[in-house]
């Protein structure tokens, strides 16, 4: 099994006036990567930020932090090159947002980024399956994308379990309502990349929360390898 436990704070939950400092604070607390939510006001009702901010952030924090871009946008093809140029490391697009995932995967790779493919709660996991061997990561949304602070949808866990059983070495990310109270369900289902917003960033002790999340996931990975 090639995958490992990785925790990515969702920076949209941080103080946006101090974003560079907040990113460095999260990395200093042990984050493995940073999850950046890009929303265009069309694919989802909310509006966040685009590649100019990513470029500024990259200059501010240096080359080390891994930027996982969650592209909640209607035309993901439009932003591949600008995001690559801005310093993004992984480009995660929604399968619902494109009619030609294969072309988009190829374009992302050619731009030098890793490829993530995301599913809204209402989309079946089978729609992602044909592309699973061409991507680096599958993202199973555990809330409706577009807003933070929603309740974790436990009924998404069968998607994670199915992906883990079918594609044992794939990175599988969960995003939405994930924190100390819900991490065990995610870990048991087979998720290894954990996006956590308010549970980490809003905590008085983010380092302890990140450590707890990672430990639970790492233990589940170890158990799975022993059970095989």
């Amino acid at each position: 099994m090639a995958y490992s436990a990785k925790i990515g704070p969702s920076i949209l939950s941080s103080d946006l006036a101090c974003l560079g400092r907040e990113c460095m604070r999260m990395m200093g607390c042990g984050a493995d990567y940073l999850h950046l939510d890009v929303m265009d006001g069309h694919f989802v009702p909310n509006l966040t930020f685009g590649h100019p901010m990513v470029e500024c952030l990259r200059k501010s924090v240096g080359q080390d932090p891994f930027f996982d871009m969650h592209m909640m946008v209607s035309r993901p093809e439009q932003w591949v090159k600008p995001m690559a140029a801005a310093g993004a490391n992984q480009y995660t697009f929604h399968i619902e947002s494109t009619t030609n995932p294969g072309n988009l995967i190829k374009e992302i790779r050619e731009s030098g980024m890793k490829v993530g493919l995301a599913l809204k709660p209402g989309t079946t996991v089978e729609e992602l399956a044909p592309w699973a061997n061409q991507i680096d990561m599958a993202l199973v949304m555990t809330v409706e994308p577009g807003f933070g602070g929603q309740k974790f949808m436990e009924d998404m866990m069968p998607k994670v379990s199915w992906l883990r059983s079918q594609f044992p070495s794939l990175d599988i990310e969960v995003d939405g309502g994930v924190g100390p109270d819900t991490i065990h369900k995610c870990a048991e289902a087979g998720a290894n990349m954990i996006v956590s917003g308010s549970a980490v960033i809003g905590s008085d002790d983010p380092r302890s929360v990140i450590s707890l999340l990672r430990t639970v996931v790492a233990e589940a990975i170890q158990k799975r390898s022993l059970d095989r």
Side-chain angles (χ1 to χ4, degrees):
M1 286 186 291
Y3 64 95
S4 61
K6 296 174 193 155
I7 312 302
S10 176
I11 65 160
L12 197 58
S13 299
S14 65
D15 181 351
L16 298 180
C18 316
L19 209 43
R21 195 166 70 221
E22 285 281 82
C23 288
M24 294 309 289
R25 182 170 75 97
M26 287 300 109
M27 296 306 292
C29 287
D32 298 288
Y33 67 102
L34 297 170
H35 183 84
L36 288 78
D37 287 316
V38 176
M39 309 182 194
D40 65 355
H42 295 280
F43 184 71
V44 289
N46 208 355
L47 187 66
T48 58
F49 49 77
H51 58 279
M53 200 208 74
V54 176
E55 186 177 357
C56 292
L57 207 49
R58 178 57 80 199
K59 286 175 182 166
S60 171
V61 302
Q63 291 307 306
D64 282 348
F66 185 94
F67 287 179
D68 169 33
M69 309 304 305
H70 182 191
M71 303 299 296
M72 290 170 268
V73 298
S74 294
R75 290 189 292 162
E77 298 83 1
Q78 185 178 351
W79 308 110
V80 173
K81 286 186 173 67
M83 281 296 178
N89 300 104
Q90 179 164 281
Y91 195 94
T92 302
F93 69 95
H94 271 264
I95 194 152
E96 305 90 354
S97 68
T98 182
T99 54
N100 197 335
N103 262 14
L104 188 48
I105 289 167
K106 185 168 174 284
E107 196 179 333
I108 295 165
R109 287 235 182 278
E110 287 172 354
S111 296
M113 295 182 289
K114 287 190 164 189
V115 182
L117 189 50
L119 291 175
K120 282 184 173 183
T123 304
T124 66
V125 72
E126 286 80 7
E127 290 189 42
L128 183 146
W131 312 104
N133 289 317
Q134 297 181 40
I135 62 176
D136 297 290
M137 185 196 80
L139 165 54
V140 175
M141 290 301 298
T142 44
V143 296
E144 283 295 338
F147 294 96
Q150 296 178 63
K151 193 172 183 295
F152 175 78
M153 297 166 77
E154 190 178 340
D155 56 346
M156 294 300 113
M157 291 304 98
K159 290 184 184 180
V160 176
S161 301
W162 187 86
L163 283 169
R164 181 56 69 213
S165 68
Q166 298 297 310
F167 308 98
S169 61
L170 184 65
D171 276 326
I172 302 172
E173 184 176 63
V174 285
D175 177 12
V178 181
D181 297 339
T182 51
I183 187 61
H184 289 84
K185 292 182 175 70
C186 299
E188 284 161 18
N192 69 296
M193 292 184 69
I194 309 299
V195 176
S196 187
S198 42
V200 169
I201 293 171
S203 164
D204 292 334
D205 188 359
R207 180 182 297 278
S208 293
V209 179
I210 289 171
S211 177
L212 167 79
L213 298 177
R214 188 186 292 106
T215 299
V216 171
V217 175
E219 285 174 356
I221 292 171
Q222 188 176 16
K223 182 175 185 295
R224 192 170 293 107
S225 69
L226 294 172
D227 289 348
R228 287 177 77 182

